[in-house]
Amino acid sequence: MWYVTEQDTPSTRRERLRRILEDIAADNEEVEPPGELELNTSLTDDLGLDSLDMAEMTVRLEDEYGVDVFADDVVDEVGEVLEKLDR
Amino acid sequence: MTVFWTDEERGVEWTYERLVEELRSRDERRPVVYESDPLEVKLQLLLAVLSREQLTLLDAEFPTETIREIGYDPATVDETTPVSVEIETVDDLRDRLAATPDEWRLDLCTSGTTGTPEPVTQSFEGLTRSVRTGERFTDDVWAFAYNPTHFAGLQVLFQAVLNCNQMVYVFERSPSGIETDIRRHGITHVSATPTFYRLRLCRLESQCETVRRLTSGGERFEPSLRDKLSTLFPNAEFRNVYALTEAGSLLESDGETFRIPDRYTDRMRVDDDGELLIHQSLVTDETTAELNGEWFHTGDLVEFTDEDRFRFVARESDFVNVGGYRVNPHEVERRIADADGVTAATVTARESSVTGNILVAEVVPDPSTDPEAAVAAAEEAVSSLERWKQPRIVEPVEQLAESRSGKRIR
């Protein structure tokens, strides 16, 4: 079961991803708060997400958009994640 | 005249005399029972035992697809066969039940470990191993709090019938309905799953002084739950039972930990992996139980709390893999359920293409606790665990998802 609660546009998707990453950063001091997301921001190298953080991000996105962004290949940059959600 | 069965939800009350009359008057019975009416399930079971004919009990919760999977045709399961039960009195009923031969067999299904129910064959001895009869049991009044086709429910049925006790069906009742039933009928004994205690009986609004015994089993029973129940049932003794569908009741305790009784020291043991094994002589289901040599692997893992006492920590199949780590969701669930402001919790594995699984939790806040505070308390309760054991998503819910059997859906 998944649903989108607000108007679904590229900018709302980016904002939603930013909020999820903020939540993850709030729970893990190793993760940098995302600030303004750039498309080439690396989730692992720039923000410091580890596999569990990535798994949480993926599950939360899947709950909202019905897309498993890691289903087919490894994604690491913000732009790659948003591209998966665009499909 | 003693009442046999009360079901306030359906407006039904039968005495034992009415039961005998009904059993005598039936000229047909069903060899396979797939039935949602709890009283009819009991009648069919008693007809089978009294006529010494085999019976198969299918859980009414099974969808028809499952019925097909386990080898039955949903279109023909209600077929009947002639029966004649020659009993005149309630004493005849009890005498004939007590004289059930060793050869009599009942087929029932366990929930299985693969998701598909597995048929298990039971003898009357296995079903009634824990039944006690005698003068001191004559005034007992039972709350019947199980799915009527489940093993623990059958044990309550025979305990009650062999002592001519009243049973009050509370399995489908709300907490307030249960409270009314306890007061109206003077219920003295309750046997239920820990989940039923957590979600229903812990929500009673005032103390119930008539209840003398609370019995549970089937899942871990945390000490905090027992504390809550002690307040609501101040006169009740507590009994925790470890039973297997394949073997009947095996261990009893007044708390969370068990010890192997002297009579079973040669027939029960814990192996090097912490799994409880029982000797084949205790297995009543000789047809389907998987034996490894002389020993049956229960799949239940224990940890010792001192030299000879242990507690159950998990079923072997309950472990999940999170990022390469083997994790027991029950361990995490236990911590969260014990947190202040949390009434109940469930921790489940959520599939992740990143780490295989991650844990997620649902918590039911205490009525006086803000949902956000309950979530914070849950997160705090697991903050000292390894990161892969910490639920990554904790959601407050009004109640945990549960099946009709009262078991939480995982």
Side-chain angles (χ1 to χ4, degrees), chain A residues 50 53 56 59 63 68 70, chain B residues 350 352-355 387 392:
Chain A
D50 68 11
D53 300 319
E56 178 182 343
V59 165
D63 280 348
D68 179 351
F70 266 83
Chain B
R350 173 80 189 269
S352 160
S353 45
V354 183
T355 52
R387 287 192 65 230
R392 300 297 303 210

Side-chain angles (χ1 to χ4, degrees), chain B residues 351-378:
Chain B
E351 270 193 36
S352 160
S353 45
V354 183
T355 52
N357 294 283
I358 57 170
L359 298 187
V360 296
E362 287 188 343
V363 297
V364 180
D366 196 87
S368 60
T369 303
D370 178 60
E372 282 184 24
V375 168

Side-chain angles (χ1 to χ4, degrees), chain B residues 213-401:
Chain B
R213 174 160 282 187
L214 302 174
T215 302
S216 192
E219 298 165 41
R220 186 178 176 277
F221 201 103
E222 61 274 18
S224 59
L225 175 57
R226 186 179 164 175
D227 291 345
K228 283 177 194 166
L229 292 169
S230 297
T231 306
L232 284 167
F233 301 95
N235 299 322
E237 286 178 13
F238 182 77
R239 194 170 68 145
N240 198 4
V241 175
Y242 173 74
L244 291 172
T245 307
E246 295 87 351
S249 294
L250 294 166
L251 301 171
E252 280 185 24
S253 157
D254 62 357
E256 189 191 21
T257 61
F258 295 85
R259 65 178 286 279
I260 294 172
D262 293 341
R263 67 182 184 280
Y264 288 158
T265 47
D266 300 338
R267 297 195 282 170
M268 298 181 80
R269 66 184 177 90
V270 177
D271 72 8
D272 293 342
D273 297 326
E275 184 178 356
L276 181 68
L277 309 183
I278 61 173
H279 190 259
Q280 61 180 4
S281 59
L282 289 171
V283 177
T284 50
D285 169 42
E286 66 278 9
T287 55
T288 56
E290 283 183 26
L291 292 169
N292 182 355
E294 293 182 351
W295 295 91
F296 173 66
H297 285 247
T298 63
D300 289 311
L301 301 179
V302 305
E303 66 181 17
F304 281 88
T305 55
D306 62 33
E307 199 175 316
D308 63 350
R309 294 197 73 85
F310 56 82
R311 64 177 183 172
F312 290 89
V313 289
R315 285 207 43 93
E316 196 170 42
S317 59
D318 284 336
F319 285 95
V320 296
N321 191 306
V322 178
Y325 296 98
R326 200 159 169 258
V327 177
N328 175 5
H330 293 280
E331 176 195 347
V332 183
E333 193 175 278
R334 191 157 69 222
R335 282 179 178 250
I336 294 178
D338 284 345
D340 285 340
V342 174
T343 299
T346 184
V347 173
T348 53
R350 173 80 189 269
E351 270 193 36
S352 160
S353 45
V354 183
T355 52
N357 294 283
I358 57 170
L359 298 187
V360 296
E362 287 188 343
V363 297
V364 180
D366 196 87
S368 60
T369 303
D370 178 60
E372 282 184 24
V375 168
E379 289 173 341
E380 174 63 26
V382 295
S383 60
S384 61
L385 293 175
E386 295 90 328
R387 287 192 65 230
W388 56 88
K389 291 184 179 173
Q390 296 175 17
R392 300 297 303 210
I393 299 173
V394 181
E395 298 281 4
V397 292
E398 282 187 16
Q399 61 177 43
L400 302 177

Side-chain angles (χ1 to χ4, degrees), chain B residues 46-89:
Chain B
L46 292 172
L47 282 170
V49 182
L50 295 168
S51 63
R52 315 310 196 204
E53 297 287 347
Q54 188 154 348
L55 176 73
T56 300
L57 275 184
L58 302 176
D59 190 332
E61 284 184 62
F62 289 166
T64 52
E65 190 181 323
T66 303
I67 299 297
R68 279 192 206 92
E69 271 178 41
I70 55 178
Y72 295 92
D73 179 355
T76 60
V77 289
D78 286 339
E79 284 178 357
T80 60
T81 184
V83 71
S84 173
V85 172
E86 292 171 10
I87 53 170
E88 301 283 335
T89 65

